[in-house]
Amino acid sequence: MLVKTFRWAFVVTALGLAAGVLYDGWTALGLVAILAVLEISLSFDNAVINAGILKKMNAFWQKIFLTVGIVIAVFGMRLVFPVMIVAISARLSPWNAVHLALTDKNRYQELVTDAHPSIAAFGGMFLLMIFLDFLFEDRDIKWLGWVERPLARLGRVDTLSVCIALVVLLASATTFGAHAHQHGGTHADKTETVLLAGVAGLVTYLVVGGLSGFFEQRIEDEEEREQEAEEQAERAGGSRSPVKLAGRAAFFMFLYLEVLDASFSFDGVIGAFAITNDIVLMALGLGIGAMYVRSLTVYLVRQGTLDDYVYLEHGAHYAIGALSVILLVTIQHEINEIVTGLVGVVLIAWSFWSSVRRNRALAAEGNGDQPKAEVSSGV
């Protein structure tokens, strides 16, 4: 079952790593591997969410999600989106951005480096909003309870995450401007650009979140209508065909899943810019990671095993928060790529181990089958 489910992910991994070596040697292989792990770690919770929704869909819509959806996720968000970010930031056409990346790496590196403050501001704000909204939400299961409990109480204040994000942006842009003017150089006149890029990242998050909420509400509405129709048919002693309503609900589920995938693709792509500016390596690494996420979604639907590791979602969001801070810091300071790549891996591994310890403790107490509400790792 495991080999069958992940076979295409294994094939893409082999091809992607080989392409990385041919493209830029063994260093490129390491970067591709780190990017793939980054994408997988950031999308663990997305795979769990996808599996929970996908299992409600019929076989036809599951196939649509795992075929059409993979095309959109891998070729659209992981290949096209990084090119568009560079093209917009460096004021190039998409073709010129790709052409420079392949034929004139030095000039391309100069353009991307010059555009990095705006890229980092956009991505840092987008990721920071994801992290803050997660942190301020009151959840039954808490990983780092001593942090999450008081922050969940603060989260009752409306728009708190937006206010904090804007304060962080203003502080980052002001510090960047003062540092740039003090030391001179090419970034001395880009404070306004950093502010605009940060606001754009915030607005992008709000739009994606709004679309996700819209589709989620439509799904709930369709499920309620279908349930009411079934109850009416049962009371009338007749039967009805649920195909039409199931199809409509499944269609909205599909749209909702694609919006979720897009939002989590932002995480991986923006986080990847903290590791490398090379769009070829980025596409290879994120493409490999996306294949594993899709395979993991299928595996979860068929086995349902990852749901037991309840702190993985927390670990992924803390990794997102760490990456947001790193991106905002890299607006004016350079951070080693290896350090950046390992932060997410360490947090995910920590949350996984905490989940294992929790499961063992529950099993030892004989409570493994009891509801898992108000549980914290106690760390």
Side-chain angles (χ1 to χ4, degrees):
M1 171 66 75
L2 186 65
V3 175
K4 181 180 179 180
T5 303
F6 286 86
R7 64 183 185 278
W8 284 111
F10 295 150
V11 171
V12 171
T13 299
L15 294 176
L17 292 176
V21 174
L22 293 175
Y23 174 71
D24 199 23
W26 295 106
T27 301
L29 182 145
L31 289 175
V32 169
I34 289 175
L35 287 168
V37 172
L38 171 70
E39 173 69 15
I40 295 169
S41 66
L42 290 180
S43 298
F44 259 123
D45 53 342
N46 190 29
V48 175
I49 294 170
N50 284 354
I53 298 175
L54 196 63
K55 66 183 180 182
K56 301 177 183 178
M57 301 166 69
N58 59 33
F60 171 78
W61 282 102
Q62 287 185 4
K63 182 176 291 187
I64 290 293
F65 175 73
L66 295 172
T67 53
V68 177
I70 195 67
V71 173
I72 296 173
V74 174
F75 295 99
M77 295 305 298
R78 272 74 174 190
L79 297 180
V80 176
F81 183 59
V83 174
M84 295 304 299
I85 288 181
V86 173
I88 293 171
S89 300
R91 294 179 175 84
L92 297 172
S93 69
W95 169 251
N96 286 335
V98 174
H99 182 71
L100 278 177
L102 296 176
T103 62
D104 192 351
K105 292 183 181 180
N106 292 332
R107 175 57 180 160
Y108 173 81
Q109 184 68 29
E110 291 175 4
L111 291 173
V112 174
T113 300
D114 189 55
H116 179 77
S118 58
I119 294 174
F122 178 92
M125 290 299 294
F126 185 89
L127 296 180
L128 182 62
M129 282 298 301
I130 293 176
F131 175 62
L132 290 176
D133 276 353
F134 177 85
L135 208 58
F136 289 138
E137 183 178 347
D138 191 9
R139 299 174 180 277
D140 291 336
I141 296 176
K142 296 176 175 62
W143 181 30
L144 306 179
W146 58 278
V147 173
E148 295 170 9
R149 287 192 187 94
L151 290 178
R153 288 193 289 269
L154 286 175
R156 297 169 186 170
V157 179
D158 291 338
T159 69
L160 179 61
S161 58
V162 176
C163 294
I164 292 176
L166 287 174
V167 169
V168 171
L169 175 61
L170 287 173
S172 300
T174 302
T175 305
F176 168 71
H179 181 271
H181 282 290
Q182 181 179 357
H183 295 86
T186 58
H187 298 320
D189 59 344
K190 290 197 172 183
T191 304
E192 293 183 3
T193 304
V194 169
L195 279 172
L196 289 174
V199 171
L202 176 61
V203 171
T204 301
Y205 171 81
L206 294 175
V207 170
V208 171
L211 288 173
S212 297
F214 169 77
F215 288 131
E216 187 174 15
Q217 185 61 49
R218 294 300 296 269
I219 291 170
E220 293 176 357
D221 292 344
E222 289 295 333
E223 289 177 341
E224 289 178 1
R225 291 193 191 101
E226 185 172 352
Q227 184 176 2
E228 291 175 359
E230 288 176 348
E231 291 175 352
Q232 291 175 0
E234 185 177 351
R235 285 195 297 267
S239 61
R240 68 177 185 86
S241 173
V243 174
K244 184 176 181 181
L245 286 175
R248 289 169 60 190
F251 174 70
F252 285 120
M253 285 182 183
F254 174 75
L255 294 179
Y256 177 49
L257 284 173
E258 290 307 313
V259 172
L260 282 179
D261 268 358
S263 67
F264 279 90
S265 298
F266 278 124
D267 307 348
V269 172
I270 297 302
F273 274 105
I275 296 175
T276 181
N277 288 326
D278 193 315
I279 58 174
V280 175
L281 298 181
M282 196 180 299
L284 290 173
L286 296 181
I288 291 172
M291 290 298 299
Y292 278 100
V293 172
R294 272 302 195 281
S295 298
L296 181 59
T297 299
V298 176
Y299 187 80
L300 287 173
V301 171
R302 295 172 179 172
Q303 301 292 326
T305 54
L306 197 61
D307 289 332
D308 291 332
Y309 303 107
V310 295
Y311 299 138
L312 280 176
E313 183 179 8
H314 297 73
H317 279 85
Y318 279 105
I320 290 172
L323 277 176
S324 70
V325 173
I326 289 172
L327 278 170
L328 292 173
V329 170
T330 59
I331 291 176
Q332 55 184 311
H333 299 292
E334 185 175 347
I335 297 180
N336 188 276
E337 297 169 342
I338 303 299
V339 173
T340 303
L342 289 178
V343 166
V345 176
V346 170
L347 287 168
I348 288 294
W350 183 16
S351 64
F352 176 80
W353 176 240
S354 296
S355 300
V356 172
R357 290 178 57 193
R358 172 186 180 277
N359 293 342
R360 290 177 179 174
L362 289 175
E365 295 173 3
N367 296 331
D369 295 329
Q370 294 185 7
K372 299 177 181 178
E374 291 297 336
V375 178
S376 172
S377 68
V379 179

